[in-house]
Amino acid sequence: MNVFDIRHDVLIALGGILAILVIASVVTFALRTKLSAGIHRELNQRLQSWWTMVAIFAVAISVSDIVSLIFFALVSFLALKEYLSLIPTRRVDRQVIFWAYLAIPLQYVLVGYEWYGMFIILIPVYAFLLLPMRMVLAGETANFLRAMGTLHWGLMAMVFSISHVAYLLVLPEEVNPGAGGAGLVLFLVFLTQFNDVSQYIWGKLFGRHQAVPTVSPAKSVEGLIGGLVTTTALALVLGPWLTPLDQPQSIGAGLIIGTAGFVGDAVISALKRDLGVKDSGSLLPGHGGVLDRVDSLIYTAPLFFHYTFYLHY
């Protein structure tokens, strides 16, 4: 993708997202007298954050591949930073954590060079083997297993998983000749976020049975099913338009994104409950931190990538 060389279909889809935000803003304004001050303030914060996130995301996938890669590398960095600020770390592991951060530019450089073979093993294999070795050289054995496991899981989730979104952008033109890599990224990210919102709305309207009561009491079976149906229906409409997937394959993508999004959200909820925190940060008013916003994407990104890769590469 050259500078500002964005496909017509992607522009239309971004226009549709803009329309959704405008409608949501109008509805929120209209309800200002019917909602409590606290709820209305929270809705306004969420909407303002959505406007900011959508604007930054639209620019990131529209300008150039380099800008896009830098953007997703920054997302990985912020998510990993929030994660490491939450989990207990050993003072002796400071240099090891620095090594872990170095994996971020390395991973995204591999994406930029389209070196799939090294991209797919840098963190799962080399970081998995090298980081514990560096810990051993530090000579501290207390809490060694916990430190090794939590650091590698963070790298896998915040860097390896999220980098699959960026790799969609550099797939060969013939994979998605219609909307290109930007179409694939927009399809994945929009459906992942829309799935979160729709599961929340369906759960609020009809939720009666808790899905994972000890992890996230607010998540309901009705919300999961409603979100899954809604996301799959939307995938059926958008898939043939923004991706190379035909209708049956688009249904499969919707089911994958809907299910994986729920699992990703629940996993990070379990992590935060274990650590005794509500949000991973405060960077995004009304949403929490970056990790709170990409929790579902951690699961949907690699699964959607390999689903598309297997079918069309």
Side-chain angles (χ1 to χ4, degrees):
M1 181 173 65
N2 299 320
V3 176
F4 293 111
D5 180 23
I6 188 167
R7 306 298 177 88
H8 182 258
D9 291 344
V10 175
L11 281 175
I12 293 176
L14 288 173
I17 295 173
L18 176 63
I20 292 173
L21 286 176
V22 170
I23 293 171
S25 298
V26 171
V27 170
T28 301
F29 179 78
L31 293 175
R32 69 189 186 283
T33 59
K34 298 182 179 181
L35 299 173
S36 68
I39 294 177
H40 189 259
R41 182 170 56 253
E42 182 181 353
L43 283 176
N44 268 329
Q45 287 180 335
R46 283 177 172 268
L47 270 174
Q48 289 170 8
S49 293
W50 273 119
W51 275 104
T52 302
M53 288 186 289
V54 168
I56 294 173
F57 174 74
V59 170
I61 67 170
S62 302
V63 177
S64 71
D65 287 347
I66 293 177
V67 171
S68 300
L69 294 182
I70 293 173
F71 168 74
F72 287 114
L74 180 61
V75 171
S76 283
F77 169 77
L78 292 174
L80 183 63
K81 182 174 181 292
E82 287 182 357
Y83 171 78
L84 291 175
S85 71
L86 295 175
I87 65 170
T89 56
R90 305 183 306 175
R91 182 180 297 272
V92 73
D93 290 332
R94 287 182 176 179
Q95 289 189 5
V96 181
I97 291 173
F98 175 73
W99 280 30
Y101 277 120
L102 284 181
I104 298 174
L106 287 176
Q107 181 76 354
Y108 283 91
V109 165
L110 294 175
V111 174
Y113 279 102
E114 303 175 36
W115 191 356
Y116 178 78
M118 186 58 71
F119 159 83
I120 209 68
I121 65 171
L122 175 68
I123 293 174
V125 177
Y126 289 105
F128 175 76
L129 297 175
L130 292 176
L131 292 181
M133 180 197 73
R134 182 62 186 83
M135 289 180 176
V136 167
L137 294 177
E140 178 60 67
T141 59
N143 295 315
F144 178 83
L145 179 61
R146 185 187 68 182
M148 180 177 59
T150 54
L151 182 57
H152 187 66
W153 191 89
L155 274 178
M156 286 292 295
M158 316 308 159
V159 184
F160 182 69
S161 287
I162 294 174
S163 67
H164 283 76
V165 186
Y167 209 104
L168 288 170
L169 288 165
V170 301
L171 288 176
E173 179 74 15
E174 57 269 20
V175 171
N176 192 27
L184 290 169
V185 170
L186 184 58
F187 177 84
L188 168 64
V189 174
F190 175 68
L191 282 191
T192 299
Q193 301 303 321
F194 189 86
N195 179 65
D196 285 349
V197 173
S198 61
Q199 287 189 5
Y200 174 81
I201 293 174
W202 283 108
K204 283 294 185 181
L205 292 175
F206 303 106
R208 298 292 182 273
H209 304 87
Q210 293 176 319
V212 280
T214 59
V215 174
S216 183
K219 297 186 187 303
S220 67
V221 174
E222 293 81 2
L224 169 60
I225 295 174
L228 191 59
V229 172
T230 306
T231 301
T232 303
L234 192 58
L236 179 61
V237 174
L238 297 179
W241 180 27
L242 291 175
T243 77
L245 306 175
D246 58 25
Q247 289 187 334
Q249 293 169 353
S250 296
I251 291 173
L255 292 172
I256 289 171
I257 291 172
T259 305
F262 177 86
V263 175
D265 193 357
V267 167
I268 299 302
S269 293
L271 171 69
K272 291 186 292 186
R273 185 169 290 273
D274 178 39
L275 296 172
V277 298
K278 182 179 183 295
D279 297 320
S280 65
S282 57
L283 184 63
L284 304 173
H287 295 269
V290 173
L291 179 54
D292 295 306
R293 196 64 271 149
V294 301
D295 50 5
S296 298
L297 197 62
I298 288 169
Y299 270 65
T300 63
L303 292 176
F304 174 74
F305 174 88
H306 290 289
Y307 178 73
T308 305
F309 192 86
Y310 173 77
L311 292 174
H312 293 278
Y313 187 62

